[in-house]
Coordinates of all heavy atoms in Angstrom, one line a residue:
M34 N 0.9 -1.2 0.0 CA 0.0 -0.1 0.0 C 0.9 1.3 0.1 O 1.8 1.3 0.7 CB -0.8 -0.1 1.3 CG -1.8 1.2 1.3 SD -2.9 1.2 2.8 CE -3.9 -0.3 2.5
E35 N 0.5 2.2 -0.8 CA 1.2 3.5 -0.9 C 1.0 4.3 0.4 O 0.0 4.2 1.1 CB 0.8 4.3 -2.0 CG 0.9 3.7 -3.4 CD 2.4 4.0 -3.9 OE1 3.1 4.9 -3.4 OE2 2.8 3.3 -4.8
L36 N 2.0 5.0 0.7 CA 2.0 5.8 2.0 C 0.8 6.8 2.1 O 0.1 6.8 3.0 CB 3.3 6.5 2.2 CG 3.6 7.2 3.6 CD1 3.4 6.3 4.7 CD2 4.9 7.8 3.6
A37 N 0.6 7.4 1.0 CA -0.5 8.4 0.9 C -1.9 7.7 1.1 O -2.7 8.2 1.8 CB -0.5 9.2 -0.3
A38 N -2.0 6.5 0.5 CA -3.3 5.7 0.6 C -3.4 5.4 1.9 O -4.6 5.3 2.5 CB -3.3 4.6 -0.4
F39 N -2.4 4.8 2.6 CA -2.4 4.5 4.0 C -2.9 5.5 4.9 O -3.9 5.3 5.7 CB -1.1 3.8 4.4 CG -1.0 3.4 5.9 CD1 -1.8 2.3 6.3 CD2 -0.4 4.2 6.8 CE1 -1.7 1.9 7.6 CE2 -0.4 3.8 8.2 CZ -1.0 2.7 8.6
Q40 N -2.3 6.7 4.8 CA -2.7 7.8 5.5 C -4.2 8.3 5.4 O -4.9 8.5 6.3 CB -1.8 9.0 5.3 CG -2.1 10.1 6.2 CD -1.0 11.3 6.1 OE1 -0.1 11.3 5.4 NE2 -1.3 12.3 7.0
Q41 N -4.6 8.2 4.2 CA -6.0 8.5 3.9 C -6.9 7.4 4.5 O -8.0 7.7 5.0 CB -6.3 8.5 2.3 CG -7.7 8.9 1.9 CD -8.2 10.2 2.7 OE1 -7.6 11.2 2.5 NE2 -9.3 10.1 3.5
L42 N -6.5 6.2 4.3 CA -7.2 5.0 5.0 C -7.4 5.3 6.6 O -8.4 5.0 7.1 CB -6.7 3.7 4.7 CG -7.4 2.5 5.3 CD1 -8.8 2.3 4.8 CD2 -6.5 1.2 4.9
M43 N -6.3 5.7 7.1 CA -6.4 5.9 8.6 C -7.3 7.1 8.9 O -8.0 6.9 9.9 CB -4.9 6.2 9.1 CG -4.1 4.9 9.0 SD -4.5 3.5 10.0 CE -5.4 2.5 8.7
A44 N -7.3 8.1 8.1 CA -8.3 9.3 8.3 C -9.7 8.8 8.2 O -10.5 9.2 8.9 CB -7.9 10.3 7.2
S45 N -9.9 7.9 7.1 CA -11.3 7.4 7.0 C -11.7 6.5 8.1 O -12.9 6.5 8.5 CB -11.4 6.7 5.7 OG -11.0 7.4 4.6
T46 N -10.8 5.8 8.6 CA -11.1 4.7 9.6 C -11.2 5.3 11.0 O -12.1 5.0 11.8 CB -10.1 3.6 9.6 OG1 -9.9 3.0 8.3 CG2 -10.4 2.5 10.5
Y47 N -10.2 6.1 11.3 CA -10.1 6.6 12.7 C -10.2 8.2 12.9 O -10.0 8.7 13.9 CB -8.7 6.2 13.2 CG -8.5 4.7 13.4 CD1 -7.5 4.2 12.6 CD2 -9.3 4.0 14.2 CE1 -7.3 2.8 12.6 CE2 -9.1 2.6 14.2 CZ -8.1 2.0 13.6 OH -8.0 0.6 13.5
G48 N -10.4 8.9 11.8 CA -10.4 10.3 11.8 C -11.3 10.9 12.9 O -10.9 11.8 13.6
E49 N -12.6 10.4 13.0 CA -13.5 11.0 14.0 C -13.0 10.7 15.4 O -13.0 11.6 16.3 CB -14.9 10.4 13.7 CG -16.0 11.0 14.7 CD -16.0 12.5 14.6 OE1 -15.9 13.1 13.4 OE2 -16.2 13.2 15.6
N50 N -12.6 9.4 15.6 CA -12.0 9.0 17.0 C -10.8 9.9 17.2 O -10.6 10.3 18.4 CB -11.6 7.5 16.9 CG -12.8 6.7 16.9 OD1 -14.0 7.1 17.1 ND2 -12.6 5.4 16.7
D51 N -9.9 10.1 16.3 CA -8.8 10.9 16.5 C -9.1 12.3 17.0 O -8.5 12.9 17.8 CB -8.0 11.0 15.2 CG -7.2 9.7 14.8 OD1 -7.2 8.8 15.7 OD2 -6.9 9.5 13.7
R52 N -10.1 12.9 16.2 CA -10.5 14.4 16.6 C -11.1 14.4 18.0 O -10.9 15.4 18.7 CB -11.5 14.9 15.7 CG -10.8 15.3 14.3 CD -11.9 16.0 13.3 NE -12.7 15.0 12.8 CZ -12.5 14.2 11.7 NH1 -11.2 14.3 11.1 NH2 -13.2 13.4 11.2
Q53 N -11.8 13.4 18.4 CA -12.4 13.5 19.7 C -11.3 13.2 20.9 O -11.3 13.8 21.9 CB -13.4 12.3 19.8 CG -14.7 12.7 19.1 CD -15.8 11.7 19.2 OE1 -15.7 10.7 20.1 NE2 -16.8 11.8 18.4
R54 N -10.3 12.3 20.5 CA -9.2 12.0 21.4 C -8.2 13.3 21.6 O -7.9 13.6 22.8 CB -8.4 10.8 21.0 CG -7.3 10.4 21.9 CD -6.4 9.3 21.3 NE -7.1 8.3 20.5 CZ -7.1 8.4 19.2 NH1 -6.4 9.3 18.5 NH2 -7.8 7.5 18.6
G55 N -8.0 13.9 20.5 CA -7.1 15.1 20.5 C -5.6 14.6 20.5 O -5.2 13.6 20.5
V56 N -4.9 15.7 20.2 CA -3.4 15.5 19.7 C -2.6 15.1 21.0 O -1.8 14.1 20.8 CB -2.8 16.8 19.3 CG1 -1.3 16.8 19.1 CG2 -3.5 17.2 17.9
P57 N -2.7 15.5 22.2 CA -1.9 15.2 23.3 C -2.1 13.6 23.5 O -1.1 12.9 23.8 CB -2.3 16.0 24.5 CG -2.9 17.3 23.9 CD -3.5 16.8 22.6
A58 N -3.3 13.2 23.6 CA -3.6 11.8 23.9 C -2.9 10.9 22.7 O -2.5 9.7 22.9 CB -5.0 11.5 24.0
T59 N -3.1 11.3 21.5 CA -2.6 10.6 20.3 C -1.0 10.6 20.4 O -0.4 9.4 20.1 CB -3.0 11.3 19.1 OG1 -4.4 11.3 19.0 CG2 -2.5 10.5 17.9
V60 N -0.4 11.6 20.8 CA 1.1 11.5 21.1 C 1.5 10.5 22.1 O 2.4 9.7 21.9 CB 1.6 12.9 21.5 CG1 3.1 12.8 21.9 CG2 1.4 13.9 20.2
A61 N 0.7 10.5 23.2 CA 0.9 9.6 24.3 C 0.8 8.1 23.8 O 1.6 7.2 24.1 CB -0.1 9.8 25.4
W62 N -0.3 7.8 23.0 CA -0.5 6.5 22.4 C 0.6 6.1 21.4 O 1.1 4.9 21.5 CB -1.9 6.4 21.7 CG -3.0 6.1 22.6 CD1 -4.0 6.9 23.0 CD2 -3.3 4.8 23.2 NE1 -4.9 6.3 23.8 CE2 -4.4 4.9 24.0 CE3 -2.7 3.7 23.1 CZ2 -5.0 3.9 24.6 CZ3 -3.2 2.5 23.8 CH2 -4.4 2.7 24.6
L63 N 1.0 7.0 20.6 CA 2.1 6.8 19.6 C 3.4 6.4 20.5 O 4.0 5.4 20.1 CB 2.4 8.0 18.8 CG 3.6 7.9 17.9 CD1 3.6 6.7 16.9 CD2 3.8 9.2 17.1
A64 N 3.7 7.2 21.5 CA 4.9 6.9 22.3 C 4.7 5.5 22.9 O 5.7 4.8 23.1 CB 5.1 8.0 23.4
E65 N 3.6 5.1 23.4 CA 3.4 3.8 24.0 C 3.6 2.7 23.0 O 4.2 1.7 23.3 CB 1.9 3.7 24.6 CG 1.8 2.5 25.4 CD 0.5 2.4 26.2 OE1 0.3 3.4 26.8 OE2 -0.3 1.5 26.1
E66 N 3.1 2.9 21.8 CA 3.2 1.9 20.7 C 4.7 1.8 20.3 O 5.2 0.7 20.0 CB 2.4 2.4 19.5 CG 0.9 2.1 19.8 CD 0.6 0.6 20.0 OE1 1.3 -0.3 19.8 OE2 -0.6 0.5 20.6
V67 N 5.5 2.9 20.3 CA 6.9 2.9 20.0 C 7.6 2.1 21.0 O 8.5 1.3 20.8 CB 7.6 4.2 19.9 CG1 9.0 4.2 19.9 CG2 7.0 5.0 18.7
G68 N 7.2 2.2 22.3 CA 7.7 1.4 23.5 C 7.5 -0.1 23.2 O 8.3 -0.9 23.4
E69 N 6.2 -0.5 22.7 CA 5.9 -1.8 22.5 C 6.6 -2.4 21.3 O 7.1 -3.5 21.3 CB 4.4 -1.9 22.1 CG 3.5 -1.7 23.4 CD 2.0 -1.8 23.1 OE1 1.7 -2.2 22.0 OE2 1.3 -1.4 24.0
L70 N 6.9 -1.5 20.3 CA 7.8 -1.9 19.2 C 9.2 -2.2 19.6 O 9.8 -3.3 19.3 CB 7.8 -0.8 18.1 CG 8.8 -1.0 16.9 CD1 8.4 -2.3 16.1 CD2 8.8 0.2 16.0
A71 N 9.7 -1.4 20.4 CA 11.1 -1.5 21.0 C 11.2 -3.0 21.7 O 12.2 -3.7 21.5 CB 11.5 -0.5 21.9
Q72 N 10.2 -3.2 22.5 CA 10.1 -4.5 23.2 C 10.1 -5.7 22.2 O 10.7 -6.7 22.5 CB 9.0 -4.5 24.2 CG 9.0 -5.6 25.1 CD 7.8 -5.5 26.3 OE1 6.7 -5.2 25.9 NE2 8.2 -5.7 27.5
A73 N 9.2 -5.5 21.2 CA 9.0 -6.6 20.3 C 10.3 -6.9 19.4 O 10.6 -7.9 19.1 CB 7.8 -6.4 19.3
V74 N 11.0 -5.8 19.1 CA 12.2 -5.9 18.4 C 13.2 -6.7 19.2 O 14.0 -7.6 18.8 CB 12.8 -4.5 18.0 CG1 14.3 -4.6 17.5 CG2 11.9 -4.0 16.8
R75 N 13.3 -6.4 20.5 CA 14.2 -6.9 21.4 C 13.9 -8.4 21.7 O 14.7 -9.3 21.7 CB 14.3 -6.2 22.6 CG 15.6 -6.3 23.5 CD 15.8 -5.2 24.5 NE 14.7 -5.3 25.5 CZ 14.6 -6.0 26.5 NH1 15.7 -6.8 26.8 NH2 13.7 -5.9 27.4
K76 N 12.7 -8.8 22.0 CA 12.4 -10.2 22.4 C 11.0 -10.7 21.8 O 10.4 -11.7 22.3 CB 12.3 -10.3 23.8 CG 11.4 -9.3 24.6 CD 11.5 -9.4 26.1 CE 10.6 -8.4 26.7 NZ 10.8 -8.4 28.2
G77 N 10.5 -10.1 20.7 CA 9.2 -10.6 20.2 C 9.5 -11.5 19.0 O 10.5 -11.7 18.4
T78 N 8.4 -12.2 18.6 CA 8.4 -13.0 17.4 C 8.4 -12.1 16.2 O 8.0 -10.9 16.3 CB 7.2 -13.9 17.4 OG1 6.0 -13.2 17.3 CG2 7.2 -14.9 18.6
R79 N 8.6 -12.6 15.1 CA 8.5 -11.9 13.8 C 7.1 -11.4 13.6 O 6.8 -10.2 13.3 CB 8.8 -12.8 12.7 CG 8.9 -12.1 11.3 CD 10.0 -11.2 11.3 NE 10.2 -10.5 10.0 CZ 11.2 -9.7 9.6 NH1 12.0 -9.4 10.6 NH2 11.2 -9.2 8.5
A80 N 6.1 -12.1 14.0 CA 4.6 -11.7 13.9 C 4.3 -10.6 14.9 O 3.7 -9.6 14.5 CB 3.7 -12.9 14.2
E81 N 5.0 -10.7 16.0 CA 4.7 -9.6 17.0 C 5.4 -8.4 16.6 O 4.9 -7.1 16.8 CB 5.2 -10.0 18.4 CG 4.3 -11.1 19.0 CD 5.0 -11.8 20.2 OE1 6.3 -11.8 20.4 OE2 4.3 -12.3 21.0
Q82 N 6.6 -8.4 16.0 CA 7.3 -7.3 15.5 C 6.5 -6.6 14.4 O 6.2 -5.3 14.3 CB 8.7 -7.6 15.0 CG 9.6 -8.1 16.1 CD 10.9 -8.8 15.5 OE1 11.0 -9.2 14.3 NE2 11.8 -9.0 16.5
E83 N 6.0 -7.5 13.4 CA 5.2 -6.9 12.4 C 3.9 -6.1 12.9 O 3.5 -5.1 12.4 CB 4.8 -8.0 11.4 CG 5.9 -8.5 10.6 CD 5.6 -9.7 9.6 OE1 4.5 -10.3 9.8 OE2 6.5 -10.1 8.9
H84 N 3.3 -6.7 13.9 CA 2.1 -6.2 14.5 C 2.4 -4.8 15.1 O 1.7 -3.9 14.9 CB 1.7 -7.2 15.6 CG 0.4 -6.8 16.4 ND1 -0.8 -7.2 16.3 CD2 0.4 -5.7 17.4 CE1 -1.6 -6.5 17.0 NE2 -0.9 -5.6 17.7
E85 N 3.6 -4.8 15.8 CA 3.9 -3.5 16.4 C 4.3 -2.3 15.4 O 4.0 -1.2 15.6 CB 5.0 -3.6 17.5 CG 4.6 -4.5 18.7 CD 3.3 -4.1 19.4 OE1 3.0 -2.9 19.3 OE2 2.6 -4.9 20.0
F86 N 5.0 -2.9 14.3 CA 5.3 -1.9 13.2 C 4.0 -1.2 12.6 O 3.9 0.0 12.4 CB 6.1 -2.6 12.1 CG 7.6 -2.4 12.3 CD1 8.3 -3.4 12.9 CD2 8.3 -1.3 12.0 CE1 9.7 -3.3 13.0 CE2 9.6 -1.2 12.1 CZ 10.4 -2.2 12.6
S87 N 3.0 -2.1 12.4 CA 1.8 -1.6 11.9 C 1.0 -0.7 12.8 O 0.5 0.3 12.4 CB 0.8 -2.8 11.4 OG 0.3 -3.5 12.6
D88 N 1.1 -1.0 14.1 CA 0.5 -0.1 15.1 C 1.2 1.3 15.1 O 0.5 2.3 15.1 CB 0.5 -0.7 16.5 CG -0.6 -1.7 16.7 OD1 -1.4 -1.9 15.9 OD2 -0.6 -2.5 17.7
V89 N 2.5 1.3 15.1 CA 3.3 2.6 15.2 C 2.9 3.3 13.9 O 2.7 4.6 14.0 CB 4.8 2.3 15.2 CG1 5.5 3.6 14.9 CG2 5.1 1.7 16.6
M90 N 2.9 2.7 12.7 CA 2.5 3.4 11.5 C 1.1 4.0 11.5 O 0.8 5.1 11.1 CB 2.7 2.4 10.2 CG 4.0 2.0 9.9 SD 5.1 3.3 9.4 CE 4.2 3.7 7.7
A91 N 0.2 3.2 12.1 CA -1.2 3.7 12.2 C -1.3 4.9 13.2 O -1.9 5.9 12.8 CB -2.1 2.6 12.7
W92 N -0.6 4.9 14.3 CA -0.7 6.0 15.3 C 0.1 7.2 14.6 O -0.3 8.4 14.8 CB -0.1 5.7 16.5 CG -1.2 4.8 17.4 CD1 -1.2 3.5 17.6 CD2 -2.2 5.4 18.0 NE1 -2.2 3.1 18.3 CE2 -3.0 4.3 18.6 CE3 -2.8 6.7 18.2 CZ2 -4.2 4.4 19.3 CZ3 -4.0 6.8 18.9 CH2 -4.7 5.7 19.5
L93 N 1.2 6.9 14.0 CA 1.9 8.0 13.3 C 1.0 8.7 12.3 O 0.9 9.9 12.2 CB 3.2 7.5 12.6 CG 4.2 8.6 12.1 CD1 4.8 9.4 13.2 CD2 5.2 7.8 11.3
A94 N 0.4 7.9 11.4 CA -0.6 8.5 10.4 C -1.8 9.2 11.1 O -2.1 10.3 10.7 CB -1.1 7.4 9.6
S95 N -2.3 8.8 12.3 CA -3.3 9.4 13.0 C -2.9 10.7 13.5 O -3.6 11.8 13.3 CB -3.8 8.6 14.1 OG -4.7 7.5 13.7
L96 N -1.7 10.8 14.0 CA -1.2 12.1 14.5 C -0.9 13.1 13.4 O -1.4 14.2 13.5 CB 0.2 11.8 15.2 CG 0.9 13.1 15.8 CD1 -0.1 13.7 16.8 CD2 2.2 12.7 16.5
A97 N -0.4 12.6 12.3 CA -0.2 13.4 11.2 C -1.5 14.0 10.6 O -1.6 15.2 10.3 CB 0.6 12.6 10.0
N98 N -2.5 13.2 10.6 CA -3.8 13.5 10.1 C -4.3 14.7 10.9 O -4.9 15.7 10.5 CB -4.8 12.4 10.1 CG -4.5 11.6 8.8 OD1 -4.0 12.0 7.8 ND2 -4.9 10.3 8.9
Q99 N -4.2 14.6 12.3 CA -4.7 15.5 13.2 C -4.1 16.8 13.0 O -4.8 17.9 13.3 CB -4.6 15.0 14.6 CG -5.6 14.0 15.0 CD -5.4 13.6 16.5 OE1 -5.9 14.3 17.3 NE2 -4.8 12.5 16.7
I100 N -2.9 17.0 12.7 CA -2.1 18.3 12.7 C -1.8 18.7 11.2 O -1.2 19.7 10.9 CB -0.9 18.3 13.5 CG1 0.2 17.4 13.0 CG2 -1.3 18.1 15.0 CD1 1.5 17.6 13.8
G101 N -2.4 18.0 10.2 CA -2.4 18.4 8.8 C -1.0 18.1 8.2 O -0.6 19.0 7.3
I102 N -0.4 17.1 8.6 CA 1.0 16.7 8.0 C 0.7 15.6 6.9 O 0.0 14.6 7.2 CB 2.0 16.3 9.1 CG1 2.3 17.3 10.1 CG2 3.2 15.7 8.3 CD1 3.1 18.5 9.5
D103 N 1.3 15.9 5.7 CA 1.1 14.8 4.7 C 2.4 14.0 4.8 O 3.6 14.4 4.4 CB 1.0 15.5 3.3 CG 0.8 14.5 2.2 OD1 -0.3 13.9 2.1 OD2 1.8 14.3 1.4
L104 N 2.3 12.7 5.1 CA 3.5 11.9 5.3 C 4.2 11.7 4.0 O 5.5 11.7 3.9 CB 3.1 10.5 5.8 CG 2.5 10.5 7.3 CD1 2.1 9.1 7.7 CD2 3.6 11.1 8.2
A105 N 3.5 11.6 2.9 CA 4.2 11.3 1.5 C 5.0 12.5 1.2 O 6.1 12.3 0.5 CB 3.2 11.0 0.4
T106 N 4.6 13.7 1.6 CA 5.3 14.9 1.4 C 6.6 14.9 2.2 O 7.7 15.3 1.8 CB 4.5 16.1 1.6 OG1 3.4 16.0 0.7 CG2 5.3 17.5 1.4
V107 N 6.5 14.7 3.6 CA 7.5 14.9 4.5 C 8.7 13.9 4.2 O 9.9 14.2 4.4 CB 7.1 14.8 6.0 CG1 6.2 16.0 6.2 CG2 6.4 13.6 6.4
V108 N 8.3 12.6 3.7 CA 9.4 11.7 3.5 C 10.2 12.1 2.3 O 11.3 11.6 2.1 CB 8.8 10.2 3.4 CG1 8.3 9.8 4.6 CG2 8.0 10.0 2.2
E109 N 9.7 13.0 1.5 CA 10.4 13.5 0.3 C 11.8 14.1 0.8 O 12.8 14.2 -0.1 CB 9.7 14.5 -0.4 CG 8.6 14.0 -1.3 CD 9.2 13.0 -2.4 OE1 10.1 13.4 -3.1 OE2 8.7 11.9 -2.6
R110 N 11.9 14.6 2.0 CA 13.1 15.1 2.5 C 14.3 14.1 2.4 O 15.4 14.5 2.3 CB 12.9 15.5 4.1 CG 14.1 16.0 4.7 CD 13.8 16.7 6.2 NE 14.9 16.9 6.9 CZ 15.2 16.1 8.0 NH1 14.5 15.2 8.3 NH2 16.4 16.5 8.6
Y111 N 13.9 12.9 2.4 CA 15.0 11.8 2.3 C 15.2 11.3 0.8 O 15.9 10.4 0.7 CB 14.6 10.7 3.3 CG 15.0 11.0 4.7 CD1 14.1 11.7 5.5 CD2 16.2 10.8 5.1 CE1 14.4 12.1 6.8 CE2 16.5 11.2 6.5 CZ 15.6 11.8 7.3 OH 15.8 12.1 8.6
A112 N 14.4 11.9 0.0 CA 14.3 11.3 -1.5 C 15.8 11.4 -2.1 O 16.0 10.5 -3.0 CB 13.3 12.1 -2.3
G113 N 16.5 12.4 -1.8 CA 17.9 12.5 -2.4 C 19.0 11.9 -1.6 O 20.1 12.2 -1.8
G114 N 18.5 11.0 -0.6 CA 19.5 10.4 0.2 C 19.6 11.2 1.5 O 18.6 11.9 2.1
C115 N 20.7 11.2 2.2 CA 20.8 11.9 3.5 C 20.6 13.3 3.3 O 21.3 13.9 2.5 CB 22.2 11.6 4.0 SG 22.6 12.5 5.5
P116 N 19.6 13.9 4.1 CA 19.4 15.3 3.9 C 20.6 16.2 4.3 O 20.7 17.3 3.8 CB 18.3 15.6 4.8 CG 17.7 14.2 5.2 CD 18.8 13.3 5.0
R117 N 21.5 15.7 5.1 CA 22.5 16.5 5.6 C 23.7 16.6 4.6 O 24.2 17.5 4.3 CB 23.1 15.9 7.0 CG 24.1 16.8 7.6 CD 24.5 16.1 9.0 NE 25.3 17.0 9.8 CZ 26.0 16.6 10.8 NH1 26.0 15.2 11.2 NH2 26.6 17.3 11.6
C118 N 24.1 15.3 4.2 CA 25.3 15.3 3.3 C 24.9 15.1 1.9 O 25.8 15.2 0.8 CB 26.3 14.2 3.8 SG 25.6 12.5 3.5
G119 N 23.7 14.7 1.6 CA 23.2 14.6 0.2 C 23.6 13.3 -0.6 O 23.6 13.3 -1.8
T120 N 24.2 12.3 0.1 CA 24.7 11.1 -0.5 C 23.9 9.9 -0.1 O 23.3 9.9 0.9 CB 26.2 11.0 -0.3 OG1 26.4 10.9 1.2 CG2 26.9 12.2 -0.8
I121 N 24.1 8.9 -0.9 CA 23.5 7.5 -0.7 C 24.6 6.5 -0.9 O 25.1 6.4 -2.0 CB 22.2 7.3 -1.7 CG1 21.2 8.3 -1.4 CG2 21.7 5.9 -1.4 CD1 20.1 8.2 -2.5
P122 N 25.1 5.8 -0.1 CA 24.8 5.9 1.4 C 25.3 7.2 2.0 O 26.2 7.9 1.5 CB 25.3 4.7 2.1 CG 26.5 4.4 1.2 CD 26.1 4.7 -0.2
C123 N 24.7 7.5 3.3 CA 25.2 8.7 4.0 C 26.7 8.6 4.3 O 27.3 7.5 4.7 CB 24.4 8.7 5.3 SG 25.1 9.9 6.6
H124 N 27.3 9.8 4.2 CA 28.8 9.9 4.4 C 29.1 10.9 5.5 O 30.2 11.4 5.6 CB 29.6 10.2 3.2 CG 29.7 9.1 2.2 ND1 29.0 9.0 1.1 CD2 30.4 7.9 2.2 CE1 29.2 7.8 0.4 NE2 30.1 7.2 1.1
C125 N 28.1 11.1 6.3 CA 28.3 12.0 7.4 C 29.4 11.4 8.4 O 29.3 10.2 8.6 CB 27.1 12.2 8.3 SG 25.7 13.1 7.4
P126 N 30.2 12.3 9.1 CA 31.2 11.7 9.8 C 30.7 10.8 11.0 O 31.4 9.9 11.4 CB 31.9 12.9 10.4 CG 31.2 14.1 10.1 CD 30.2 13.6 8.9
H127 N 29.6 11.1 11.6 CA 29.1 10.2 12.7 C 28.0 9.3 12.4 O 27.1 9.0 13.2 CB 28.9 11.1 13.9 CG 30.0 11.9 14.3 ND1 31.2 11.3 14.8 CD2 30.3 13.1 14.3 CE1 32.0 12.4 15.1 NE2 31.5 13.4 14.8
G128 N 27.9 8.9 11.0 CA 26.8 8.1 10.6 C 25.4 8.7 10.8 O 25.3 9.8 10.3
T129 N 24.5 8.1 11.4 CA 23.2 8.7 11.5 C 22.7 9.2 12.8 O 21.5 9.3 13.2 CB 22.1 7.6 11.0 OG1 22.3 6.5 11.9 CG2 22.3 7.2 9.6
D130 N 23.8 9.4 13.7 CA 23.2 9.8 15.1 C 23.1 11.3 15.2 O 23.7 12.1 15.9 CB 24.5 9.4 16.2 CG 25.8 10.0 15.9 OD1 26.0 10.6 14.7 OD2 26.6 10.1 16.7
W131 N 22.1 11.8 14.3 CA 21.8 13.2 14.3 C 20.2 13.3 14.0 O 19.9 12.2 13.5 CB 22.6 14.0 13.4 CG 22.4 13.5 12.0 CD1 23.0 12.5 11.4 CD2 21.5 14.0 11.1 NE1 22.7 12.3 10.1 CE2 21.8 13.2 9.7 CE3 20.6 15.1 11.0 CZ2 21.0 13.5 8.6 CZ3 19.9 15.2 9.9 CH2 20.0 14.4 8.7
T132 N 19.7 14.4 14.2 CA 18.3 14.4 13.7 C 18.1 15.7 12.9 O 18.9 16.7 13.1 CB 17.3 14.5 14.9 OG1 17.7 15.5 15.8 CG2 17.3 13.2 15.7
Ligands
LIG967 ZN1 24.8 12.0 5.8

């Protein structure tokens, strides 16, 4: 599934619930799901890892929908490779330990 289609699907599926929950609660849920993903990566099965990846993606899309961020647009920042050094693979002196 394309990223834009996924984000639209999340808006159709959860948009009303998202608006009622609000941004702060959605951020909290996203953070909790990231924690579950971290745990699944460390000691989960492949199926559990895939489950947590999908939950993180869903909550990320819900948050983006609530504040009007288009995920397909924002990932374009990486379309040319590393946004900092502009190469693929990245040749930054300290790898990827920056934001
Ligand atoms: Zn770089």
Side-chain angles (χ1 to χ4, degrees):
M34 182 182 293
E35 295 278 342
L36 189 52
F39 176 73
Q40 186 171 359
Q41 182 54 55
L42 177 62
M43 294 300 97
S45 301
T46 306
Y47 298 117
E49 184 55 39
N50 290 346
D51 289 342
R52 281 184 288 278
Q53 289 180 13
R54 183 187 322 102
V56 170
T59 301
V60 170
W62 274 106
L63 173 60
E65 184 168 316
E66 291 297 340
V67 170
E69 291 178 9
L70 174 61
Q72 191 172 44
V74 167
R75 203 162 61 83
K76 57 185 180 184
T78 64
R79 186 70 176 180
E81 288 165 343
Q82 292 168 351
E83 290 176 350
H84 178 106
E85 297 305 337
F86 268 99
S87 71
D88 282 350
V89 167
M90 291 293 292
W92 281 103
L93 188 67
S95 285
L96 180 60
N98 284 332
Q99 283 185 78
I100 65 171
I102 296 289
D103 183 76
L104 292 178
T106 298
V107 299
V108 298
E109 284 296 314
R110 179 164 167 257
Y111 286 88
C115 174
R117 187 182 192 193
C118 67
T120 60
I121 304 172
C123 166
H124 287 106
C125 290
H127 301 293
T129 56
D130 62 342
W131 61 278
T132 54

